[in-house]
Amino acid sequence: MIVIRHPQIGAPQLVARATGAHIVNAGDGKHQHPTQALLDLYTIKEEFGRVQALHVAIVGDVLHSRVARSLIQALALMGAHVTLVGPPALLPRGIESMGCETSTDIAAIGAADVVYVLRMQRERMQEGANYVPSLREYAARWGVTPERLRPGQKVMHPGPMNRGVEIDPRVADHADALIETQVRAGLVTRMAVLYDLLVGAPAPVRVGDPVEVA
Amino acid sequence: MLFGKDAPGENLIVRGARIVDPAQGVDTVADVRVDDGVIAALGTDLEPNSHRVVEADGLVLAPAFVDPHVHLRTPGREDEETIASGTAAAAAGGYCAILAMPNTDPVVDSAAALGSLVERARSEAEIPVGFLAAITKAEGGAELTEMGELADLGATGFTDDGVPVASPGLMRRALQYGAVTGRRIAVHCEETTLSRGGQMHEGEISAQLGFTGYPSVAESLMVERDLALAAYERQAIHLLHLSAWESVQALRRARQAGIEATGEVTPHHLCRTDEAVRTLDPNVKMNPPLRSESDRTALIEALRDGTVTCIATDHAPHARHEKEVPFEAAPFGVTGLETSFAALYTHLVEPGLVPLETVLERMSTGPARAYGLDEPRIAVGARANLVLLDLKASYRITADGFRSRSVNSWLLGETVKGRVRATIANGRLVYAA
């Protein structure tokens, strides 16, 4: 088995064509991050008992986000309703074809059951590209703050966070944030992926079983 | 001007083919006799005498193809293509003439660089080849080349293909000065501040895959600019590898307005769309990129109605190790010399999208006319430039079947219909299969 994370789209597929080994895509460029989507689904299901018919708002830099692309696809498969929210240049043209809607107005997160905050990927911002005028203006317009949330709305983030940019620290540390749950879910879902591929059968763990996490 | 080996024309007779010469309105079954490389007789039951006989029952004989856009990678990347291998590939593709682009290493921007290519072509070119020279030194977009001297030495035209002439002021000067040389200026239309980082057509599929998009407007904006400059200067212009419907719309309007503008499209843009990029196969990565189905439809319509008069392969060989990498790391470009007719016959003619005659005309007369070359034709007295086509042959494109030094074909693994059986270029049988 080969677990591969690579900065370029399609690297895992290239490796898969060249070997008979199982390939786990641990993130390829801006393309896909499948295990992140699995752990996010797991986290949502643990919290709500279902994924179907939930409304998930994904906020921020969708353009550069492999997390977003895997998650949109996974949520659409599971019957959730997805709204992407962010600055125009960070919502890729044509993304609605993945089965979601888009808005440039942060108020659009108000109706969501889950607000999924993406990291502003500064390292992916080409110099001079001017996706947004400044991080300061981004934070002011699209930052997820307590004032923009309803009580009880759950907040998720794939990490690592830029506190004070895309997410207000008060949101990140609030009881409605599922961010630490996501980290724990990451361990068990990735264990399950490895187990399944190595043993050739699903791991004998039922959803809801207590799992010991180191 | 074209350059090749100085060899005497042959004595040949092609027997029993269906002769299709769309430019002359010819479609008839007859024999063709070639004496010393010149078509000497058309008719039935011609005496073979001591001529070499090419049996062509059930095959189509057409004017051989002219490819106005080929990268021969010489000088600089002879591991990818040489004049010998590229012209051999062209012969296998049914071509009697090809035009090579100047974006080599070093760039063909001086008398010395062009002279060396002409000399090599005379000793190793399997079919005649013409050379375009650069518009600007090193294709740097700053300073014009000595176009007069380059034209005198035989440059077929001028282009900075591979990159645009970014400055409108310099493009204007190129059009003004190009007129003095009597050679056509050909432009690679790309507004690079819009295409920067672009890996594929910007649209639904780029959004889904996460690739940085290369929007259609990056091309069409530059097409509009260059047509406006050509109109203002009342100069001819040739638009390279058009991919977007907005671009062919602009070309159509310009031609209707009387601007002397010609355009070319490639087989891959006519036959494939950005859907192909879902495979993440670097052999469907090229510049400009494969676009949407509506773009493809518009290109086909433009080919049919004569807005676009040239089919060009933009044959761009790349070393295997440079293409066997993730999509984003791979260079732009695909090969095409040996597969163009089969691709077009399979994807356009067989499904009834474009008549055979139109494809043949746009692969031969159209490009020759755009650059002022002799138009291949099947008539007594004409130099023999002929291609023999088997429309029934069906076969699979494989990496071991190429004469090109590179195998980065967008058709690898595909079964196609339509095979070149023989090519006669400048009066010589240069390919037979």
Coordinates of all heavy atoms in Angstrom, one line a residue, chain A residues 6-11 13-14 17 30-32 63 69 92-95 97-98 126-129, chain B residues 196-197 202-212 279-282 323-329:
Chain A
H6 N 0.6 14.8 -2.5 CA 1.4 15.4 -3.5 C 0.9 16.7 -3.9 O -0.4 16.9 -3.9 CB 1.4 14.5 -4.7 CG 2.5 14.7 -5.7 ND1 2.5 15.8 -6.6 CD2 3.7 14.1 -5.9 CE1 3.6 15.8 -7.3 NE2 4.4 14.8 -6.9
P7 N 1.7 17.7 -4.2 CA 1.2 19.0 -4.5 C 0.6 19.1 -5.9 O 0.0 20.1 -6.2 CB 2.5 19.9 -4.5 CG 3.6 19.0 -4.6 CD 3.2 17.7 -4.0
Q8 N 0.7 18.1 -6.7 CA 0.1 18.1 -8.0 C -1.1 17.2 -8.2 O -1.0 16.0 -7.8 CB 1.2 17.9 -9.1 CG 2.1 19.1 -9.2 CD 3.4 18.8 -9.9 OE1 3.9 17.7 -9.9 NE2 4.0 19.8 -10.5
I9 N -2.1 17.7 -8.9 CA -3.3 17.0 -9.3 C -2.9 15.7 -10.1 O -2.2 15.8 -11.0 CB -4.2 17.9 -10.1 CG1 -4.7 19.0 -9.2 CG2 -5.4 17.1 -10.6 CD1 -5.4 20.1 -10.0
G10 N -3.5 14.6 -9.7 CA -3.3 13.4 -10.5 C -2.1 12.6 -10.2 O -1.9 11.5 -10.8
A11 N -1.3 13.0 -9.2 CA -0.1 12.2 -8.8 C -0.5 10.8 -8.4 O 0.1 9.8 -8.8 CB 0.8 12.9 -7.8
Q13 N -3.1 9.0 -9.2 CA -3.5 8.3 -10.3 C -2.3 7.8 -11.2 O -2.3 6.7 -11.7 CB -4.5 9.1 -11.2 CG -5.8 9.4 -10.6 CD -5.8 10.5 -9.6 OE1 -4.8 11.0 -9.2 NE2 -7.0 10.9 -9.2
L14 N -1.3 8.7 -11.3 CA -0.1 8.3 -12.0 C 0.6 7.1 -11.4 O 1.0 6.1 -12.0 CB 0.8 9.5 -12.1 CG 2.1 9.4 -13.0 CD1 1.7 9.4 -14.4 CD2 3.1 10.5 -12.6
R17 N -1.3 3.8 -11.9 CA -1.1 3.2 -13.2 C 0.2 2.4 -13.2 O 0.3 1.5 -14.0 CB -1.2 4.3 -14.3 CG -2.6 4.8 -14.7 CD -2.6 5.5 -16.0 NE -1.9 6.7 -16.0 CZ -2.4 7.9 -15.7 NH1 -3.7 7.9 -15.4 NH2 -1.7 9.0 -15.7
K30 N -5.0 20.6 -5.7 CA -6.3 21.3 -5.4 C -7.4 20.3 -5.8 O -8.5 20.7 -5.8 CB -6.4 22.5 -6.2 CG -5.4 23.6 -5.8 CD -5.4 24.8 -6.8 CE -4.9 24.5 -8.1 NZ -5.1 25.6 -9.1
H31 N -7.1 19.1 -6.0 CA -8.0 18.1 -6.6 C -9.0 17.5 -5.6 O -10.1 17.9 -5.4 CB -7.3 17.1 -7.4 CG -8.1 16.1 -8.1 ND1 -7.6 14.8 -8.4 CD2 -9.3 16.2 -8.7 CE1 -8.6 14.2 -9.1 NE2 -9.6 15.0 -9.2
Q32 N -8.4 16.5 -4.8 CA -9.2 15.7 -3.9 C -8.5 15.5 -2.6 O -7.2 15.4 -2.6 CB -9.5 14.4 -4.6 CG -10.5 14.5 -5.7 CD -12.0 14.5 -5.2 OE1 -12.3 14.0 -4.1 NE2 -12.9 15.1 -6.0
L63 N -11.5 27.8 -4.3 CA -10.7 27.7 -5.5 C -9.5 26.8 -5.3 O -9.2 25.9 -6.1 CB -10.2 29.0 -6.0 CG -9.4 29.1 -7.3 CD1 -10.2 28.7 -8.5 CD2 -8.7 30.4 -7.4
R69 N -13.5 20.2 -2.6 CA -14.0 19.4 -3.7 C -14.4 18.0 -3.3 O -15.4 17.5 -3.8 CB -12.9 19.4 -4.8 CG -13.2 20.4 -5.9 CD -12.0 20.6 -6.9 NE -11.0 21.5 -6.4 CZ -11.1 22.8 -6.6 NH1 -12.0 23.3 -7.3 NH2 -10.2 23.6 -6.0
P92 N -14.7 29.0 -7.8 CA -14.4 28.7 -9.2 C -15.6 28.7 -10.1 O -16.6 28.2 -9.8 CB -13.7 27.3 -9.2 CG -13.9 26.8 -7.8 CD -14.3 27.9 -6.9
R93 N -15.4 29.3 -11.3 CA -16.5 29.4 -12.3 C -16.9 27.9 -12.7 O -16.0 27.1 -13.0 CB -15.9 30.1 -13.5 CG -16.8 30.5 -14.5 CD -16.0 31.1 -15.7 NE -16.8 31.5 -16.8 CZ -17.4 32.7 -17.0 NH1 -17.2 33.6 -16.1 NH2 -18.1 32.9 -18.1
G94 N -18.1 27.6 -12.6 CA -18.6 26.3 -13.0 C -18.7 25.3 -11.9 O -19.1 24.2 -12.1
I95 N -18.4 25.7 -10.7 CA -18.4 24.8 -9.5 C -19.8 24.3 -9.2 O -20.0 23.2 -8.7 CB -17.7 25.5 -8.3 CG1 -17.4 24.4 -7.2 CG2 -18.6 26.6 -7.7 CD1 -16.3 23.5 -7.5
S97 N -21.7 23.0 -11.0 CA -22.0 21.7 -11.7 C -21.7 20.5 -10.7 O -22.1 19.4 -11.1 CB -21.1 21.6 -12.9 OG -19.7 21.6 -12.5
M98 N -21.1 20.7 -9.6 CA -20.9 19.6 -8.6 C -22.1 19.4 -7.8 O -22.1 18.6 -6.9 CB -19.7 19.9 -7.8 CG -18.4 19.9 -8.5 SD -16.9 19.9 -7.4 CE -16.8 18.2 -6.9
Q126 N -1.1 33.1 -5.8 CA 0.0 33.6 -6.7 C 0.2 35.1 -6.4 O -0.8 35.8 -6.2 CB -0.4 33.4 -8.1 CG -0.7 32.0 -8.5 CD -1.6 31.9 -9.7 OE1 -2.0 32.9 -10.3 NE2 -1.9 30.7 -10.2
E127 N 1.4 35.4 -6.4 CA 1.8 36.8 -6.1 C 1.1 37.7 -7.2 O 1.2 37.5 -8.4 CB 3.3 37.0 -6.1 CG 3.7 38.3 -5.5 CD 5.2 38.5 -5.5 OE1 5.9 37.5 -5.7 OE2 5.6 39.6 -5.5
G128 N 0.5 38.8 -6.7 CA -0.2 39.7 -7.6 C -1.5 39.2 -8.2 O -2.0 39.9 -9.1
A129 N -2.0 38.1 -7.7 CA -3.2 37.6 -8.3 C -4.4 38.4 -7.8 O -5.5 38.4 -8.5 CB -3.4 36.1 -8.0
Chain B
R196 N -2.6 32.9 -17.0 CA -1.5 32.5 -16.2 C -1.8 31.4 -15.2 O -2.8 31.4 -14.5 CB -1.0 33.7 -15.3 CG 0.2 33.4 -14.5 CD 0.7 34.7 -13.8 NE -0.3 35.3 -12.9 CZ 0.0 36.3 -12.1 NH1 1.2 36.8 -12.0 NH2 -1.0 36.8 -11.4
G197 N -0.9 30.4 -15.2 CA -1.1 29.2 -14.4 C -2.2 28.3 -14.9 O -2.4 27.2 -14.3
E202 N -11.1 26.8 -18.7 CA -11.9 27.2 -17.4 C -13.4 26.9 -17.7 O -14.0 27.5 -18.6 CB -11.6 28.7 -17.1 CG -12.4 29.1 -15.9 CD -12.0 30.5 -15.4 OE1 -11.0 30.5 -14.7 OE2 -12.6 31.4 -15.7
G203 N -13.9 26.1 -16.8 CA -15.3 25.7 -16.9 C -15.7 24.8 -15.9 O -15.0 24.6 -14.9
E204 N -16.8 24.0 -16.1 CA -17.2 23.1 -15.0 C -16.2 22.1 -14.7 O -16.0 21.7 -13.5 CB -18.5 22.5 -15.5 CG -19.7 23.4 -15.6 CD -21.0 22.8 -16.0 OE1 -21.0 21.6 -16.4 OE2 -22.0 23.5 -16.0
I205 N -15.5 21.6 -15.7 CA -14.6 20.5 -15.4 C -13.3 21.0 -14.7 O -12.9 20.3 -13.8 CB -14.3 19.7 -16.7 CG1 -15.6 19.1 -17.2 CG2 -13.2 18.6 -16.5 CD1 -15.6 18.6 -18.6
S206 N -12.8 22.1 -15.0 CA -11.7 22.7 -14.2 C -12.1 22.9 -12.8 O -11.3 22.7 -11.9 CB -11.1 23.9 -14.9 OG -12.1 25.0 -14.9
A207 N -13.4 23.4 -12.6 CA -13.8 23.6 -11.2 C -13.9 22.3 -10.5 O -13.5 22.3 -9.3 CB -15.2 24.3 -11.3
Q208 N -14.4 21.3 -11.1 CA -14.5 20.0 -10.5 C -13.1 19.4 -10.2 O -13.0 18.8 -9.1 CB -15.3 19.0 -11.3 CG -16.8 19.5 -11.4 CD -17.5 18.7 -12.5 OE1 -17.1 17.6 -12.9 NE2 -18.6 19.3 -13.0
L209 N -12.2 19.5 -11.1 CA -10.9 18.8 -10.9 C -9.9 19.7 -10.1 O -9.0 19.1 -9.6 CB -10.3 18.5 -12.3 CG -11.0 17.5 -13.1 CD1 -10.3 17.4 -14.5 CD2 -11.1 16.2 -12.5
G210 N -10.2 21.0 -10.0 CA -9.3 21.8 -9.2 C -8.2 22.5 -10.0 O -7.4 23.1 -9.4
F211 N -8.2 22.2 -11.3 CA -7.1 22.9 -12.1 C -7.4 24.4 -12.2 O -8.5 24.8 -12.4 CB -7.1 22.2 -13.5 CG -6.5 20.9 -13.5 CD1 -7.1 19.8 -14.0 CD2 -5.1 20.7 -13.1 CE1 -6.6 18.5 -14.1 CE2 -4.5 19.5 -13.2 CZ -5.3 18.4 -13.7
T212 N -6.3 25.1 -12.3 CA -6.4 26.5 -12.6 C -6.9 26.6 -14.0 O -6.4 26.0 -14.9 CB -5.0 27.2 -12.4 OG1 -4.6 27.0 -11.1 CG2 -5.2 28.7 -12.7
T279 N -9.4 12.3 -17.5 CA -8.4 11.2 -17.4 C -7.2 11.6 -16.7 O -6.4 10.7 -16.3 CB -8.1 10.7 -18.8 OG1 -7.4 11.8 -19.5 CG2 -9.3 10.2 -19.6
L280 N -6.9 12.9 -16.6 CA -5.7 13.4 -16.0 C -4.4 13.0 -16.8 O -3.3 13.0 -16.4 CB -5.5 13.1 -14.5 CG -6.6 13.4 -13.6 CD1 -6.4 13.0 -12.2 CD2 -6.9 15.0 -13.6
D281 N -4.7 12.7 -18.1 CA -3.6 12.2 -19.0 C -2.9 13.4 -19.6 O -3.5 14.2 -20.3 CB -4.2 11.3 -20.1 CG -3.2 10.8 -21.1 OD1 -2.0 11.2 -21.0 OD2 -3.6 10.1 -22.0
P282 N -1.6 13.5 -19.3 CA -0.8 14.7 -19.9 C -0.9 14.7 -21.4 O -0.5 15.8 -21.9 CB 0.6 14.4 -19.4 CG 0.4 13.6 -18.1 CD -0.7 12.7 -18.4
K323 N 6.5 13.9 -20.2 CA 5.0 13.7 -20.2 C 4.6 12.7 -19.2 O 3.4 12.7 -18.8 CB 4.5 13.3 -21.6 CG 4.4 14.5 -22.6 CD 3.1 15.4 -22.2 CE 2.7 16.3 -23.4 NZ 1.5 17.1 -23.0
E324 N 5.5 11.8 -18.7 CA 5.1 10.8 -17.7 C 5.2 11.4 -16.3 O 6.0 10.9 -15.5 CB 6.0 9.6 -17.9 CG 5.5 8.6 -18.8 CD 6.3 7.3 -18.9 OE1 7.4 7.2 -18.3 OE2 5.8 6.4 -19.6
V325 N 4.5 12.4 -16.1 CA 4.5 13.1 -14.8 C 3.1 13.6 -14.5 O 2.2 13.4 -15.4 CB 5.4 14.4 -14.9 CG1 6.9 14.0 -15.0 CG2 5.0 15.3 -16.0
P326 N 2.8 14.1 -13.3 CA 1.4 14.5 -13.1 C 1.0 15.7 -14.1 O 1.9 16.4 -14.6 CB 1.4 15.1 -11.7 CG 2.5 14.3 -11.0 CD 3.6 14.1 -12.1
F327 N -0.2 15.8 -14.4 CA -0.7 16.7 -15.4 C -0.1 18.1 -15.3 O 0.3 18.7 -16.3 CB -2.3 16.7 -15.3 CG -3.0 17.4 -16.5 CD1 -3.4 16.6 -17.6 CD2 -3.2 18.7 -16.5 CE1 -4.1 17.2 -18.6 CE2 -3.9 19.3 -17.6 CZ -4.3 18.5 -18.6
E328 N -0.1 18.6 -14.1 CA 0.3 20.0 -13.9 C 1.8 20.2 -14.2 O 2.3 21.3 -14.5 CB 0.0 20.5 -12.5 CG -1.4 20.8 -12.2 CD -1.7 20.9 -10.7 OE1 -1.6 20.0 -10.0 OE2 -2.0 22.1 -10.4
A329 N 2.6 19.1 -14.0 CA 4.0 19.2 -14.2 C 4.4 19.0 -15.7 O 5.5 19.3 -16.1 CB 4.7 18.1 -13.4

